[in-house]
Amino acid sequence: MQQSMTVKEAMESRHSVRKFVQEPVVKEGLQEIINQARLAPSAWNLQPWRFHVVTDPEMKAKLQDAAYGQQQVTSAPAVIMVASDMEDVVANLKQTVHPGLSEEKKQEEVANLAAFFGGMTVEERGQWGLAQTNIALGFLLLAAQGAGYSTVPMLGFDPIKVRDILGLPDHVKFAAMVPIGHKDTEGYPHHRHSVNEIAFFH
Ligand SMILES: Cc1cc2nc3c(=O)[nH]c(=O)nc-3n(C[C@H](O)[C@H](O)[C@H](O)COP(=O)(O)O)c2cc1C
């Protein structure tokens, strides 16, 4: 796989693409992009992100329907749903704590985390997890760009329909739907605020 871009080059060249070349993407390529996205940091290292990769044409058509007909969904050879599942995290806290800790420390950390998240509603936990998962989304977009793929992050879809299509429980949140493939046509040029407008040095 091509991986010669610097992070700076990936950031500067990434832009949303909505029309893709009609050829399948290699599964190993997608796995490597997810392998890099999972390196994102998260609070307490809880890693609530889950990636659902859809290449099946019928399923993609359903996702496009759930995305109000946005054509890029079926134009892309693959669609990565970047999801967040905090209930899975909370149910498996033992697997999340660092394996290097002593048994006693592990139990202590699990108890602390269980108490912290136990004080939240499912919805509050969901929003907390989503904040972490958005970091992995950023990593995923740059990893894809670095590997020579184009993407478009999307939130214009009905999450209830998407959960239904993927067979996911109600508590699962989505950071984005990400059509991915090789670009057929360029996207729009960047338009961004200048550093002076958004950065404040105190
Ligand atoms: C969270 C999020 C949701 C978005 N939802 C959509 C969408 O539903 N449909 C779409 O065509 N583009 C969507 N976009 C793409 C934005 O329009 C695009 O990122 C923005 O205009 C900047 O352009 P660029 O990505 O080419 O730099 C979304 C982007 C983000 C980050």
Side-chain angles (χ1 to χ4, degrees), residues 14-16 18 70 72 152-156 175 188 190 192:
R14 188 214 59 80
H15 55 266
S16 293
R18 295 176 178 83
Q70 295 191 68
Q72 60 267 29
V152 50
M154 294 170 57
L155 266 184
Y188 302 106
H190 277 299
R192 292 293 192 270

Side-chain angles (χ1 to χ4, degrees), residues 153-190:
M154 294 170 57
L155 266 184
F157 59 87
D158 180 346
I160 297 171
K161 283 190 179 165
V162 173
R163 277 196 293 262
D164 190 44
I165 293 162
L166 297 175
L168 297 173
D170 289 352
H171 62 257
V172 169
K173 303 273 184 203
F174 298 110
M177 177 184 287
V178 184
I180 179 168
H182 290 116
K183 68 178 167 207
D184 188 23
T185 54
E186 282 294 344
Y188 302 106
H190 277 299

Side-chain angles (χ1 to χ4, degrees), residues 20 45 65 74 78-79 84 86 109 111-112 114 129 143-144 149 156-157 159 161 178-180 202:
F20 297 89
N45 200 24
D65 182 51
T74 52
V79 177
S84 182
M86 270 307 288
E109 196 162 319
N112 286 341
Y149 293 98
F157 59 87
K161 283 190 179 165
V178 184
I180 179 168
H202 300 278

